[in-house]
Amino acid sequence: MSWQTYVDEHLMCEIDGYHLSAAAIIGHDGSVWAQSSNFPQFKPEEISGIMTDFSEPGHLAPTGLYLGGTKYMVIQGESGAVIRGKKGLGGVTIKKTNQALIIGIYDEPMSPAQCNMIVERLGDYLIDQGL
């Protein structure tokens, strides 16, 4: 299965009638493996900051998490495994696998829990596959 298929069919899928706003699978080095057409253009230093937060939990908390120039307030996550951010009525969930970051961005009416489930379920599957 191609990486684009994972984005199109597993991240941008419908859940309870809702969809993520945007999604991507990005290598730890910031290379884009696959993304939805409307995923924001991000800066390499934004991915570097996210990777630092996975190795040093709390790194992004004082400044916020930036993705595509959008600032998200860092909220509860799973140390070294999941970072969650909130902005207004939407937010972002980032799951780290062995080789990639699975990123889902949502807006209301999708709930944070629905976004978390979609992103973390695919991330857990890829980890199980050694990816």
Side-chain angles (χ1 to χ4, degrees):
M1 186 180 307
S2 78
W3 292 113
Q4 193 61 51
T5 303
Y6 280 112
V7 170
D8 295 342
E9 296 181 7
H10 297 279
L11 292 175
M12 297 303 289
C13 62
E14 180 179 312
I15 180 167
D16 299 330
Y18 308 120
H19 297 84
L20 291 172
S21 306
I25 300 174
I26 298 171
H28 289 179
D29 62 357
S31 60
V32 176
W33 294 10
Q35 64 184 11
S36 61
S37 60
N38 58 344
F39 193 79
Q41 181 66 43
F42 58 86
K43 298 179 178 122
E45 57 268 22
E46 293 173 336
I47 301 303
S48 297
I50 291 166
M51 289 303 297
T52 299
D53 197 77
F54 278 118
S55 59
E56 301 171 25
H59 170 76
L60 292 175
T63 59
L65 178 148
Y66 284 86
L67 191 62
T70 299
K71 180 181 179 179
Y72 296 90
M73 178 179 64
V74 178
I75 56 176
Q76 94 290 353
E78 295 170 34
S79 187
V82 179
I83 299 171
R84 298 184 183 107
K86 186 99 174 100
K87 176 177 172 47
L89 301 176
V92 63
T93 301
I94 305 169
K95 170 78 174 184
K96 181 177 181 258
T97 72
N98 299 329
Q99 299 176 19
L101 301 173
I102 313 302
I103 304 174
I105 300 172
Y106 69 94
D107 287 304
E108 271 199 335
M110 178 173 262
S111 73
Q114 290 167 321
C115 177
N116 296 343
M117 185 173 67
I118 290 170
V119 171
E120 293 174 39
R121 187 171 48 193
L122 178 59
D124 289 341
Y125 170 77
L126 294 175
I127 289 168
D128 290 344
Q129 301 303 306
L131 299 166

